[in-house]
């Protein structure tokens, strides 16, 4: 029986990474490292970790993903989101390991080109988080490691025991339905909104793709407000949607169009479903009649 390949996963306690870990364990030997086990801001520590593990690939998820935290402490964001990613890329280059770097659709906020944005678009991120993710992509490319940087959409999932929930759209909808307190959501900002397992299932195939940047997730024109209406309907709270959801009417020219063209990744992974299809799949898998 052939020996299974080893995958090193950073940021293993994170929302996406914790679910990726559960899925990959069926096919790979997964070395899942939370922040306490690996300080990505220490380049020597990153190099030592890869020398010891000798992984086939590194899935680099560790980051400060809270945009408000990045705005409040840009220096911390630089350390984790920029220098930490560069450190892991250098370690991968030295170890001869492939790398998948978790980036974000926020690199397109402020980008003047018409959406859906292709990976080649001239970027002009409008947030600290988006700018630092863009910088990380550029620095990784300079290290010479074989890296696929995936620009991920906003992801969601139902709560699971011992897995981080985060501030995802489904969690916001569930809280609104349970507490009867409304949530305000963008009603004109089209963007991809993706069931997290649609991402996790496709990552292994991307390990064999050429190095580069890939838009990765559900595409389309759905706004968070529209997606939330569907979620509430599927959880049986559709009649209360008008009260529970407040549309945020962003002024013309003042909102970020984060829609992505995801055709490049589709050359190596199965195409992502639409946002609506993904939502229906998630609810079916968690026992809802849709």
């Amino acid at each position: 029986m052939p020996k299974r390949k080893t995958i090193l996963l950073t940021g293993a306690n994170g929302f996406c990474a914790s679910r990726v870990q559960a899925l990959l364990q069926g096919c790979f030997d997964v070395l899942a490292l939370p922040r306490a086990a690996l300080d990505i801001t220490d380049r020597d520590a990153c190099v030592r970790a890869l020398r010891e593990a000798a992984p086939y690939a590194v899935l680099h998820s560790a980051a400060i993903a809270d945009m408000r935290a990045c705005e409040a402490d840009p220096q911390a964001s630089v350390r984790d989101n920029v220098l930490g990613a560069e450190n892991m890329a250098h370690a991968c280059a030295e170890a001869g390991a492939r790398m998948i770097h978790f980036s974000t659709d926020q690199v397109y906020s402020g980008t003047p080109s018409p959406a859906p944005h292709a990976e080649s678009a001239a970027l002009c991120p409008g947030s600290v988080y988006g700018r630092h993710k863009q910088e990380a992509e550029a620095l990784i490319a300079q290290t010479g490691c074989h890296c696929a940087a995936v620009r991920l959409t906003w992801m969601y999932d139902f709560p699971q025991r011992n897995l981080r929930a985060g501030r995802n759209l489904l969690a916001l909808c569930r809280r609104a339905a349970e507490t009867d307190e409304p949530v305000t959501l963008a009603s004109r900002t089209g963007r991809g909104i993706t069931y997290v397992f649609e991402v996790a299932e496709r990552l292994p195939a991307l390990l064999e793709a050429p190095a580069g940047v890939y838009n990765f997730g559900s595409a389309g024109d759905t706004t968070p407000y529209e997606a939330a209406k569907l979620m509430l309907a599927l959880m049986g709270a559709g009649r209360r949607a008008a009260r529970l959801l407040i549309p945020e009417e962003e002024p013309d020219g003042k909102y970020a169009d984060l829609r992505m063209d995801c055709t490049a990744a589709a050359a190596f992974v199965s195409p992502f479903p639409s946002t609506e299809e993904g939502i229906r799949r998630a609810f079916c898998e968690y026992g809802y009649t849709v």
Side-chain angles (χ1 to χ4, degrees):
M1 185 174 182
K3 182 180 178 181
R4 299 205 304 179
K5 294 177 179 177
T6 297
I7 300 292
L8 188 150
L9 177 64
T10 70
N13 289 342
F15 171 74
C16 183
S18 58
R19 288 156 174 83
V20 168
Q21 176 186 353
L23 187 144
L24 291 183
Q25 284 174 336
C27 304
F28 300 92
D29 288 330
V30 181
L31 177 58
L33 299 180
R35 169 53 63 87
L38 177 61
D39 180 3
I40 62 170
T41 67
D42 183 339
R43 180 174 297 187
D44 290 339
C46 294
V47 170
R48 286 195 301 272
L50 266 67
R51 284 178 180 169
E52 294 172 4
Y56 170 68
V58 172
L59 271 58
H60 181 55
S61 166
I64 298 176
D66 186 324
M67 293 181 61
R68 290 171 293 186
C70 293
E71 295 289 339
D73 192 348
Q75 290 183 335
S77 179
V78 167
R79 288 193 301 270
D80 282 52
N81 296 338
V82 182
L83 301 181
E86 184 185 21
N87 288 341
M88 287 305 305
H90 275 290
C92 286
E94 179 176 312
R98 293 175 178 244
M99 179 178 179
I100 291 181
H101 170 64
F102 288 31
S103 190
T104 175
D105 61 358
Q106 291 295 331
V107 299
Y108 295 114
S109 66
T111 298
S113 63
H117 303 291
E119 291 88 344
S120 59
L123 302 179
C124 184
S127 67
V128 169
Y129 177 64
R131 288 196 299 273
H132 288 166
K133 283 294 190 177
Q134 180 190 6
E135 291 174 20
E137 290 179 8
L139 289 172
I140 288 170
Q142 294 173 16
T143 66
C145 82
H146 186 288
C147 178
V150 289
R151 292 175 177 168
L152 298 168
T153 70
W154 195 11
M155 293 176 285
Y156 63 88
D157 189 21
F158 284 87
Q160 297 188 48
R161 184 178 182 182
N162 297 327
L163 296 183
R164 183 178 176 184
R167 191 177 180 273
N168 73 82
L169 183 60
L170 182 54
L172 295 177
C173 290
R174 285 170 58 87
R175 183 160 61 246
E178 291 167 0
T179 64
D180 212 37
E181 295 181 3
V183 59
T184 300
L185 294 168
S187 60
R188 297 180 64 184
T189 307
R191 66 178 302 184
I193 303 170
T194 311
Y195 179 33
V196 67
F197 283 103
E198 298 283 1
V199 170
E201 290 167 350
R202 287 163 174 78
L203 285 174
L206 204 63
L207 288 170
E208 308 307 322
V213 177
Y214 296 93
N215 293 335
F216 212 70
S218 295
D221 300 322
T222 306
T223 66
Y225 180 84
E226 293 166 339
K229 282 183 65 176
L230 176 57
M231 289 178 175
L232 286 175
L234 293 177
M235 66 178 68
R239 293 183 178 180
R240 294 189 286 148
R243 185 173 76 254
L244 296 178
L245 302 177
I246 301 174
E248 182 180 1
E249 295 287 351
E250 307 96 328
D252 287 335
K254 298 295 184 182
Y255 60 95
D257 192 336
L258 301 176
R259 291 175 296 162
M260 299 190 298
D261 179 348
C262 297
T263 55
F268 309 101
V269 305
S270 58
F272 281 88
S274 69
T275 293
E276 291 81 2
E277 290 169 337
I279 291 171
R280 292 184 182 280
R281 175 194 169 184
F283 273 76
C284 277
E285 291 187 349
Y286 284 89
Y288 287 79
T289 300
V290 298

